[in-house]
Structure formats: structure tokens, C-alpha cells
Amino acid sequence: MEPSAKDHILSSWQDTLHSHGFRVTRPRQQVMEIITSSTTALTPQEIYHKSLEGERFPGIASVYRTLELLDKLGLIQQIHQPGGCHGIWPTVEGHNHCLICRNCGQMKIIEGNEDITGYIARIENQTGYRVDDHWLQFFGTCSGCLD
Amino acid sequence: MEPSAKDHILSSWQDTLHSHGFRVTRPRQQVMEIITSSTTALTPQEIYHKSLEGERFPGIASVYRTLELLDKLGLIQQIHQPGGCHGIWPTVEGHNHCLICRNCGQMKIIEGNEDITGYIARIENQTGYRVDDHWLQFFGTCSGCLD
DNA sequence: TCCTTATTGATAATAATTATCATTATCAGT
DNA sequence: ACTGATAATGATAATTATTATCAATAAGGA
């Protein structure tokens, strides 16, 4: 069986841990497994509660510690939503944005190929700010929830 | 002396409270004063701590209650940032975006006149989502911090 | 000014996150 | 495979943030 995209992320995360001298422990694997399996951005508490479904599960402190580590290594990012801040999602390479279903929370990462350089230049002129980054997020309804 | 933009917002907020049958109390006025005077988006705790500088100040519960009320009336919105979620900022009419200085936190609201309708249409085709809203935020350095 | 009652302040209760430390388990080096 | 040094864990205490409770207070119409 061909390795799935999820398996690929998981093994690359484990490589990153090893190459930085961190151990690949069972609690860390469980947290990483949950994050990479999810179709929605999860909060730390949600990740912890999902882990309870398993036979053995990490303590809540280890969940927080693992998230802190993954964040420090740049492997995850925090997703912000109007009604529920700071969901966790794997970091994706390159410039991209997220698309969130308001109904079921399902998230998709989309390639950021919009051209707003002209808009940014105008903002810089008007405000005197130097702009070095932006967030673009889309909200709507996914195809499953539209039916 | 000409009434400032802040005074204008403040009196319109008070009108909104009155017209919805809510009382304009001292604690509410203090919270509204702090929000409208700030150049950065503030968290509930930050608003409370600023209020302590005054001679009389609201209890922490009243700060939360006032924020809940202002939010329900649509007078404030929550601003999300990578390192400090849920700052409070007055709602601005129309379609607009915010520009935040990563250094000092100073915030500006900018008119949303970018055209990303083509981009949105492409996203809808690719993903099957129906997109009904978006967030666009810019991060950078303000003119004061550039010097 | 008085009266009704919405609102407050003080604080208890709940929830979320971080810190502490003895015990456990990873994994590099045999 | 086995062993040992120590990174990491689990359990829990401490801290912080938010929400709920209720008697006392004050806003604002009559």
C-alpha cells in the first residue's frame, strides 16, 4: 500500500524531532497522529480529549508540551477563527491561505496565488507602514454541508 | 474645541446603548473610553489593568460584561494576532482590513478595496466550497517603529 | 426627588494553562 | 540485545482567565 500524505507528514515530523535531538516518544506520536489525521483545526483541549479514546493516552501536560515543541520547530501553526481561537494545523510549505467551513469546521489549505502586491504598495504609501506579511482566510460552506 | 473622532464614537455608542434600553453606567463608560482611546487592540485583561489607573474603576466582571454587551451590539470586534489572540477593537463600517505593527502593536484599519473576486471564484471551483466572507490582515512595521 | 429594576462589586466556581518533581522510557554506545 | 545517562512523562499543584451568583447600588423615567 502506498504511504498516505498523512504518513509522509508523520515520518517527516519524526525525522525533524530526531535531527534536533528530541526523542520520538509515544505521547508525542499520539499527539502528532491526531493532528495529522484531523480534517479540522483542533484546540489543545480537543486534541487531549481525542487522545482519551485510545487505550493509553498522554497526560494533558504532555499534550501542551508537544504542541509547544511542534510549534517551536515550525511544524504546526495556529488557525484563528471568529468563534474559537487557536486551532492547531500542520504548517504547509510556501505561501498559502486557509478556507474554513463555518458549519462543520472542515479546513482546506489553498495555494496563495492571488496578486495583492499593488494593494500592499498602496497601503504602504498611505500609512507609512512597511508590510512584510499578511493573512488571508476564507469562510464559507464546504461541499458536504451544502447538500 | 471640535469633537474628536473618539468622542464621536463614544457618543454614538452611548446612543446605541440607550436606544436598546441599556443604561449608560460609569463602568461601561470607563471601558468604552479605554477601548476608543487605544491605538492597539486590547485584551479584556489589558482593558481591566488600564482601568486600574483611574481613581474609581470597574470590577473585572463588569469589564467582561461590558465587552459581551458591546460585542452583542456589534460595536466591537475581535482582532486575532499570531502572538496574542482576541484583542478588542471598535467595529468599522463597511469592508475593511487591519494592519498591525509587530513591534508596538499599533493598529490601523484600512479600506478594503482589493479585488479578489476572481481569486474567490477560482477557489470555489477548485474546492466546491461556497465562500461568503474573508479576513485579510497585514503585519509589518509602523512608521514610528521604522525610525 | 422617588421608585423600579438593571447593573454592579465581591467573590465563589469553573476552565485553561503552566510549573514542579519523582518516576519512566528513549536511544546512543557498547 | 543490553545498559546507562538523561530527556521526557504523569500526577498534581499553582497560576491565570473567564463565568456565575447574589445582596447592594445607582441609572433614569415618572
Side-chain angles (χ1 to χ4, degrees):
Chain A
M1 194 171 98
E2 195 177 336
S4 68
K6 184 192 94 179
D7 293 336
H8 181 261
I9 294 182
L10 267 181
S11 75
S12 94
W13 283 11
Q14 297 183 1
D15 291 348
T16 304
L17 287 182
H18 275 137
S19 67
H20 284 78
F22 296 107
R23 295 178 180 174
V24 175
T25 63
R26 187 216 306 267
R28 283 176 178 164
Q29 292 191 66
Q30 291 171 320
V31 169
M32 294 189 291
E33 165 74 26
I34 289 171
I35 294 174
T36 55
S37 301
S38 178
T39 59
T40 67
L42 300 171
T43 64
Q45 292 290 331
E46 286 170 336
I47 291 170
Y48 176 64
H49 288 299
K50 270 189 186 292
S51 79
L52 298 181
E53 294 168 8
E55 196 162 331
R56 292 198 56 184
F57 44 84
I60 181 69
S62 288
V63 172
Y64 279 101
R65 283 186 290 233
T66 300
L67 294 177
E68 189 185 355
L69 178 60
L70 295 177
D71 183 63
K72 195 171 66 179
L73 294 173
L75 301 178
I76 57 174
Q77 59 182 311
Q78 296 182 330
I79 302 295
H80 305 254
Q81 303 174 47
C85 220
H86 276 177
I88 304 297
W89 194 260
T91 301
V92 181
E93 286 298 315
H95 179 65
N96 48 67
H97 306 299
C98 61
L99 171 58
I100 303 173
C101 175
R102 314 179 102 97
N103 188 246
C104 68
Q106 184 167 124
M107 229 187 85
K108 270 196 162 58
I109 295 289
I110 50 188
E111 192 133 339
N113 61 354
E114 82 284 0
D115 183 17
I116 55 173
T117 52
Y119 186 43
I120 289 178
R122 232 174 310 142
I123 290 169
E124 289 184 324
N125 284 336
Q126 283 172 16
T127 63
Y129 274 60
R130 181 175 309 141
V131 174
D132 53 47
D133 196 13
H134 68 274
W135 276 358
L136 180 55
Q137 279 186 26
F138 297 94
F139 302 99
T141 314
C142 73
S143 53
C145 288
L146 278 172
D147 299 333
Chain B
M1 193 171 97
E2 194 176 338
S4 66
K6 183 191 95 179
D7 293 335
H8 181 261
I9 294 182
L10 266 181
S11 76
S12 95
W13 282 11
Q14 296 183 1
D15 291 348
T16 304
L17 287 182
H18 275 138
S19 67
H20 284 79
F22 297 107
R23 295 179 181 174
V24 175
T25 64
R26 189 216 304 267
R28 284 175 178 166
Q29 292 192 65
Q30 291 171 319
V31 169
M32 293 190 291
E33 166 73 25
I34 290 171
I35 294 174
T36 55
S37 302
S38 177
T39 60
T40 67
L42 301 171
T43 64
Q45 292 290 331
E46 285 170 336
I47 290 170
Y48 175 64
H49 288 299
K50 270 188 187 292
S51 78
L52 297 181
E53 294 168 8
E55 195 162 329
R56 293 198 56 186
F57 44 84
I60 181 69
S62 288
V63 171
Y64 278 101
R65 283 186 288 233
T66 301
L67 294 178
E68 189 185 356
L69 177 60
L70 295 176
D71 183 63
K72 195 171 67 178
L73 294 173
L75 301 177
I76 57 173
Q77 59 182 311
Q78 296 182 330
I79 302 295
H80 304 253
Q81 304 174 46
C85 220
H86 276 179
I88 304 296
W89 194 259
T91 301
V92 182
E93 286 298 315
H95 179 65
N96 49 66
H97 307 299
C98 61
L99 170 58
I100 303 174
C101 175
R102 316 179 100 98
N103 188 245
C104 68
Q106 185 165 125
M107 229 187 84
K108 270 196 162 58
I109 296 288
I110 50 189
E111 192 132 340
N113 61 355
E114 82 285 359
D115 182 17
I116 54 173
T117 51
Y119 186 43
I120 289 177
R122 231 175 309 142
I123 290 169
E124 290 184 323
N125 284 336
Q126 283 172 15
T127 63
Y129 274 59
R130 181 175 310 141
V131 174
D132 54 48
D133 195 14
H134 68 274
W135 275 357
L136 180 56
Q137 280 188 26
F138 297 95
F139 303 99
T141 314
C142 74
S143 52
C145 288
L146 279 172
D147 300 333

